[in-house]
Every structure is written in C-alpha cells, then in structure tokens.
Amino acid sequence: MGDLDNGDPVKPKTRVILVGIGGATCSGKTTLAKHLARILPNSVIIHQDDFAPPQEQVPIHPVYKIQDWDAPAGAIQWPRMIESLREVKRTGVIPPEHISHDHLNEQKDVPLSDDIKLKWSRYFEEMQGNAERDGDKIVWGLVDGFLLYWHSDVYEQLDARVFLRIPEDVLKHRRYARHGYHTAEGSLWRDPPHYWDQIVWPAYLEANREIFAGGDVEHGGPGGKVPRLVLIDAIEESLEELVDKCCELLKETLLEIQYT
C-alpha cells in the first residue's frame, strides 16, 4: 500500500491499494477486474498485456521459430511495468503516457447479479466516506495479468494477491474459441497451429510452477513463493461467488491497512 502525503492540510492523503488478479490466459482475470472496478470507488485497471513489447521485438521461439508472446522473460517489458506500478503507488493515477489497447480485444458481457454489486458497492462507498472524513482518499489499482506472480518486483508491490486457477482443458477450449488478440499496434494476432501445446502451456508451467506446492499447477496449493497468495479454483465458483470472495478479501485488506 502506498501513501501520498502532499503536505497540504486541506487535501486528503491518498492511500493506494494495489490488487493483483493473476492466472492463465482465458482464466477470467479481466472479467473479474472489470466487475470489481464497477464496485470499488476510485478504481483503475492496469492490464499487464499493455506492457508487452512492440510486435517487432517479441522474441522468436528457439525451437519452433515463431513469435513467443508467452515466455515470461520476454513477454513483458518488466522495467516499464515495475516503474508504472511504482508511479501508481506514488500518485494514485496511471501515468499519462501509458496507453491501453484492451478496448480493441473482444469484450464479452458476463453479467453480475445486482444484489452482489449493490451489497459491495454500498460497503466500499461507506468505507470511502469514512476514510475521507478522516482525511484520507482511497484509490484501488486492479492489476490483471497472466505473468503477475513471476517477477518479485511486481508482486511485492501488490497489497492483495489473487490467482484464478482453471483446468488446462477448459483454458485450451476458451483460447481456441477466441478470434485472436490485438497488439499495441492494432494488428490482430491469431495463434498458429499447435501454439497452445508448443508455446502457451509450456510457458504457463515455466512461469507458475514455483508458485504451487510440489510444482503441481493443476492441483497443488500455494507453495510459498508468493506470500499471502489467495488461490481460487475458479471453475468451481459462480461469478457471484467469485466476486463475493474477492470483495471479502479486499474488505480485510482495507481494514488491515486502515489500522496499521
């Protein structure tokens, strides 16, 4: 959690709470982040995909000789992402030079029940009001990404850490059902044949094996690499249950921060 003390007794002190929502491609990270953003006042979404390198700089896989958008070392411009998160922590806003291309991707409407949305919106709006009366302003930064827990300089900045786990066969089916991904340049990337088996899944194992006990990404519990990681087997949860569980975590995170 970051505090921005601007030295002006009239203006509130900004408390920035960064929330990590990680998981494999097609695990529902962005859908969850967008629902939470509609619930949480003063919230912004930071998509890790926006820190991918320009298309011409994406590494070529040494064996299959095609662009590898998934291997953790080359799929993200890590210094740029790390510095952007630090800037959000410091200021409470996304740096003005940051441009997101998430809006170019296919946006499926997955509705959330009004009861859950209203329940938690009221709670966090009340907490926001209480904080403002005490001279604080709370800003929520929702960080979603498929490599969110690979680099320690990223996940150590996160105040709450969620990982959505989905079985491989379900992920593979969802990936094949997608029309593709838009790059920062606006072009459409479509997976070549065998891309899941040769590139996507091996890179997911490489990036996340150490997170799980015994390296078992499908069935293992948190292995200790990422402290306070909340692992959710999302295929077993309805959207309402998933949002409810995450809001309970954010409630605990907020109360912990307010009393420290």
Side-chain angles (χ1 to χ4, degrees):
M1 188 261 309
D3 288 349
L4 177 60
D5 189 349
N6 44 36
D8 187 338
V10 177
K11 296 181 180 179
K13 179 175 66 176
T14 299
R15 293 177 176 266
V16 180
I17 304 174
L18 292 185
V19 181
I21 304 172
T25 175
C26 301
S27 60
K29 305 178 300 298
T30 303
T31 297
L32 174 60
K34 288 179 177 179
H35 279 300
L36 293 175
R38 295 184 189 109
I39 289 171
L40 296 166
N42 295 335
S43 60
V44 296
I45 301 179
I46 304 157
H47 302 286
Q48 189 175 45
D49 287 352
D50 291 330
F51 298 95
Q55 191 166 5
E56 68 273 10
Q57 296 179 22
V58 174
I60 301 299
H61 193 280
V63 175
Y64 301 110
K65 307 303 180 184
I66 55 177
Q67 285 189 308
D68 184 348
W69 291 86
D70 291 79
I76 299 297
Q77 293 181 318
W78 293 105
R80 184 162 67 94
M81 181 177 185
I82 291 163
E83 185 53 39
S84 290
L85 291 181
R86 287 174 179 159
E87 182 72 4
V88 173
K89 280 260 192 180
R90 189 180 69 82
T91 66
V93 298
I94 295 176
E97 66 273 13
H98 178 77
I99 299 174
S100 177
H101 59 274
D102 176 70
H103 64 284
L104 299 174
N105 289 314
E106 183 180 7
Q107 307 287 322
K108 287 189 176 181
D109 182 30
V110 185
L112 177 68
S113 75
D114 291 338
D115 289 345
I116 289 292
K117 182 178 179 181
L118 188 59
K119 166 189 171 182
W120 286 109
S121 294
R122 284 175 173 170
Y123 174 79
F124 286 111
E125 285 169 3
E126 180 181 351
M127 295 299 287
Q128 184 77 259
N130 292 341
E132 290 176 358
R133 282 190 289 274
D134 292 336
D136 290 341
K137 177 184 177 182
I138 301 167
V139 173
W140 299 88
L142 303 166
V143 190
D144 83 324
F146 72 111
L147 293 171
L148 206 54
Y149 302 114
W150 185 73
H151 201 304
S152 61
D153 286 345
V154 169
Y155 65 73
E156 286 176 358
Q157 297 191 61
L158 305 175
D159 301 292
R161 301 160 186 172
V162 174
F163 191 102
L164 303 182
R165 179 163 62 186
I166 299 284
E168 183 200 0
D169 60 332
V170 176
L171 295 170
K172 186 175 182 179
H173 174 77
R174 291 180 180 178
R175 177 86 174 207
Y176 283 168
R178 280 193 170 177
H179 297 302
Y181 292 85
H182 281 88
T183 68
E185 295 80 12
S187 62
L188 182 66
W189 164 266
R190 296 184 185 274
D191 290 348
H194 313 297
Y195 197 74
W196 177 272
D197 295 313
Q198 294 175 346
I199 305 293
V200 178
W201 188 247
Y204 173 76
L205 296 178
E206 177 189 351
N208 296 292
R209 191 177 280 116
E210 293 182 5
I211 294 174
F212 299 101
D216 185 354
V217 301
E218 293 269 73
H219 307 289
K225 173 190 173 182
V226 181
R228 299 182 290 107
L229 181 67
V230 176
L231 173 62
I232 300 176
D233 285 305
I235 198 69
E236 301 172 2
E237 309 270 351
S238 68
L239 179 60
E240 283 71 26
E241 291 170 330
L242 187 57
V243 170
D244 199 49
K245 185 173 290 187
C246 288
C247 285
E248 287 285 359
L249 172 64
L250 301 188
K251 174 183 174 181
E252 294 172 7
T253 303
L254 179 57
L255 292 174
E256 178 183 325
I257 287 171
Q258 287 183 323
Y259 290 102
T260 56

